[in-house]
Structure formats: structure tokens, C-alpha cells
Amino acid sequence: MRYERKYKMYDQAPSILEQAVKLHPASFKKIYPDRQINNIYFDTSTLTSYWDNVNGVAERKKYRVRWYNFDETKIEKPHFEVKARINELGTKKVIRIDDFDLDNLRFLTRIVNELSDAPGRLQPIVMNSYRRAYYGTSDGKFRVTIDERIRYFSLMFAQRFTRYTVEDFNAAVLEMKYDRNMDDYTDRITQFFPFRQTKSSKYVTGVQYTIY
């Protein structure tokens, strides 16, 4: 299991966040090329995962399909993910699935429900995408990502994806990830980030922007 510490900021240029990471005494370095992450989040008709998060339920799960491409309509090597959290600790189960078409979400929904352990039938709720930069310490024990150009589209009221209707370009999310056995050492990292830790879920934000 691992910790994920998030810092969500508004009206901060991504270059400022990148500078804070690059100048950090832990010597973070780029570990992957930047790429665009695309997600379709699934939930029950009563939005169980959403409300569990909003209400601070200690043990909760999130279900999504993810793929990487700067053109979100070109879906290659997607995978179904189940993210489980117990308080601040999380795990992720990843299952490779067949390519699909955004015009045929019924096919994708059937696959998701066959793989899901959710208490009820899942349906697509929100789709989003964002650009992510990856950094890590030389020993591989701490990883930092920076997400920007975040966009959302509600699938709860649509049969297929057409275009993003909400652009949250003023927001950026810095996230630090590390195994739980490193928690005693996190202060050595976080004390040099001039940001305040926040609670940040892109799924929750997407629902609030596009549905409520």
C-alpha cells in the first residue's frame, strides 16, 4: 500500500510547480516523458463512490478505465483500474482490457461490470483528461507528478463522448507518492514544498463541475 499526498493549486503556472520540484534538495529528475492521461470514471446510479469520498468514508473504492494518448479519441491499450483506500493508504488493481470506441460505451460498460467487485451495477459517469509530468528521486522511493490542462465531460447524461465541456485550466495538481514504510521520512520532502496539502479527487471535481 502507498500514500498519495496531493497539493491542488489555482492560478499557479505549471512552470512554478516544476521549478519547485526541480530545485528540491531531494534532486527530483524526470523519469518519463510527459503524456496525456484519459479516464472514464464509473459509479453506481446513486453515485456510491462519489458520496463515499465526499462524506469521508474511511474504506472506499473508485473505478475507472484509463488510456494514454494526446488524442483522447484514439484508444490503445486501455486498462480497468480499481483504486481502494483505507484512510490515507491506497492500492490499485490494474486489468488490461480490449480497445473500445467512445461511440460504443455499452460494450465498455459490460466489460467493466464483468470485472468489477462494486456493490451495484456500474455506469460511466465522467470522462476527463490532463497532461502529466513525472519526477522521481534517484533511489526511486519518492515520485512526484504534476497534472495540468484538466478537462471534464459528463457521461451520465450522454450516450457517447463528443467534446470536453469544462476546462479547469486554472488548476494544477502536484501529487507525491511513496510506500507506507517511507512515511517517517516524508517531512524531509514536504518541508521544501511551499504548498499546503489538500484533498483533491478529479472524479469528485468532475461530478461537481458537470453534474451538480
Side-chain angles (χ1 to χ4, degrees):
M1 302 184 79
R2 70 179 185 181
Y3 285 98
E4 296 180 352
R5 308 292 189 189
K6 297 183 180 181
Y7 305 82
K8 186 173 184 177
M9 286 142 287
Y10 289 94
D11 299 318
Q12 291 273 11
S15 58
I16 296 177
L17 305 185
E18 292 173 0
Q19 184 178 34
V21 174
K22 291 178 179 178
L23 295 178
H24 196 284
S27 299
F28 284 97
K29 303 295 183 184
K30 268 287 188 74
I31 55 175
Y32 299 114
D34 292 1
R35 56 184 177 178
Q36 178 172 300
I37 296 178
N38 310 289
N39 301 293
I40 296 178
Y41 294 91
F42 285 77
D43 207 338
T44 64
S45 59
T46 56
L47 301 182
T48 302
S49 295
Y50 169 81
W51 286 112
D52 282 353
N53 188 301
V54 170
N55 293 327
V57 175
E59 295 187 31
R60 60 186 187 269
K61 290 184 177 180
K62 180 167 58 180
Y63 305 89
R64 69 188 178 202
V65 171
R66 170 170 289 189
W67 66 100
Y68 303 91
N69 202 318
F70 283 101
D71 181 351
E72 60 273 352
T73 64
K74 293 183 179 179
I75 300 165
E76 299 172 341
K77 300 179 180 180
H79 44 271
F80 174 58
E81 298 183 351
V82 180
K83 292 198 70 175
R85 291 189 68 84
I86 302 176
N87 295 315
E88 295 186 342
L89 283 167
T91 61
K92 182 167 67 174
K93 180 180 179 181
V94 179
I95 304 172
R96 175 77 166 85
I97 61 174
D98 293 337
D99 295 353
F100 62 93
D101 194 309
L102 289 175
D103 288 330
N104 186 11
L105 293 180
R106 289 183 179 179
F107 168 75
L108 178 62
T109 301
R110 177 176 59 80
I111 293 175
V112 166
N113 279 286
E114 289 174 355
L115 298 172
S116 167
D117 60 355
R121 180 171 175 79
L122 297 176
Q123 65 184 63
I125 303 296
V126 168
M127 179 170 162
N128 77 350
S129 73
Y130 44 92
R131 186 184 183 100
R132 171 167 285 181
Y134 300 83
Y135 300 87
T137 54
S138 58
D139 58 11
K141 293 180 179 179
F142 291 90
R143 191 176 76 166
V144 167
T145 58
I146 298 175
D147 299 337
E148 60 170 313
R149 299 184 62 82
I150 309 170
R151 299 175 291 169
Y152 300 96
F153 176 78
S154 173
L155 290 170
M156 197 169 187
F157 306 120
Q159 298 298 315
R160 61 187 180 88
F161 173 76
T162 53
R163 64 179 181 83
Y164 287 111
T165 56
V166 176
E167 297 179 342
D168 197 13
F169 287 176
N170 290 327
V173 179
L174 185 150
E175 185 172 354
M176 185 175 71
K177 305 173 185 180
Y178 57 93
D179 290 339
R180 62 179 175 181
N181 60 356
M182 296 301 299
D183 197 40
D184 291 340
Y185 302 91
T186 55
D187 287 346
R188 303 178 187 179
I189 305 294
T190 57
Q191 66 176 314
F192 294 103
F193 283 141
F195 316 119
R196 179 178 297 178
Q197 185 177 332
T198 60
K199 182 178 179 181
S200 177
S201 165
K202 295 186 184 68
Y203 172 53
V204 169
T205 300
V207 169
Q208 293 173 344
Y209 277 172
T210 65
I211 297 175
Y212 289 132

